[in-house]
Amino acid sequence: DSGVTQTPKHLITATGQRVTLRCSPRSGDLSVYWYQQSLDQGLQFLIQYYNGEERAKGNILERFSAQQFPDLHSELNLSSLELGDSALYFCASSVGASGSVLDIQYFGAGTRLSVL
Amino acid sequence: LAKTTQPISMDSYEGQEVNITCSHNNIATNDYITWYQQFPSQGPRFIIQGYKTKVKNEVASLFIPADRKSSTLSLPRVSLSDTAVYYCLVRGFQKLVFGTGTRLLVSP
């Protein structure tokens, strides 16, 4: 168990809908990262938050947004869903902002999103 | 855009040593190299991290040459349970680039 908690484990929805994925980081970690992994694809970095502020942005679509709350949990919001958004969404956390030797990322078990 | 490439797949037998190489030509001075293992429908699991030369822990070794443009994950005496996808990650300040992943199949 990595200590990173993601909910829900599975989510089934229809095209055009909006969903929210939730992540609780490991105790003491200030950074949260979101990744997308489509079927048989690699890990695509979406966005990083550090202590409530956006720190780095990857290949995140405009239909997607995220935030990190004062208690450090994070939510990833996906709207106007398309079939191609079906994927595993992973959250990871680290102590700092990713630039130091201590900032090893630990991953949650993921949320499997199916858009029908 | 920085590219981090790995062989698509590798085959091995139980008890053999496996070396998986990651190419990261655009690595910056302050970037770290991390390796993860991923089983189907699970989150990546941390294996080892390094900056230069050699790092070793209880499950793997990591070799990084002086120019740091590549790194090699070494798994000693693999078992069937090591069948998984292995990813390298080059990370730095506002920079996170995962490799393309290597699917390792270990046979009896």
Side-chain angles (χ1 to χ4, degrees), chain A residues 1 51 85:
Chain A
D1 184 4
N51 204 20
D85 297 326

Side-chain angles (χ1 to χ4, degrees), chain B residues 35-51:
Chain B
W35 282 81
Y36 289 87
Q37 176 192 55
Q38 187 181 28
F39 297 111
S41 297
Q42 294 187 24
R45 188 177 74 169
F46 171 78
I47 301 173
I48 196 166
Q49 171 179 275
Y51 180 78

Side-chain angles (χ1 to χ4, degrees), chain B residues 66-103:
Chain B
D67 66 5
R68 304 200 328 123
K69 292 185 184 300
S70 67
S71 58
T72 299
L73 173 72
S74 181
L75 304 173
R77 299 179 298 283
V78 294
S79 63
L80 297 178
S81 63
D82 292 319
T83 292
V85 180
Y86 292 81
Y87 291 96
C88 62
L89 166 66
V90 176
R91 65 167 183 85
F93 180 69
Q94 294 187 328
K95 174 183 180 179
L96 292 160
V97 183
F98 266 95
T100 46
T102 299
R103 190 174 300 273

Side-chain angles (χ1 to χ4, degrees), chain A residues 6-54:
Chain A
Q6 289 188 247
T7 56
K9 290 192 185 322
H10 302 278
L11 201 49
I12 301 174
T13 188
T15 55
Q17 295 298 305
R18 173 189 170 96
V19 298
T20 297
L21 312 184
R22 182 187 169 101
C23 171
S24 294
R26 295 187 321 155
S27 176
D29 284 359
L30 298 179
S31 267
V32 170
Y33 311 77
W34 287 98
Y35 292 87
Q36 180 192 58
Q37 187 173 43
S38 302
L39 189 63
D40 288 334
Q41 297 294 310
L43 291 147
Q44 298 295 319
F45 168 62
L46 297 177
I47 197 165
Q48 176 200 0
Y49 278 80
Y50 173 73
N51 204 20
E53 301 289 328
E54 182 183 305

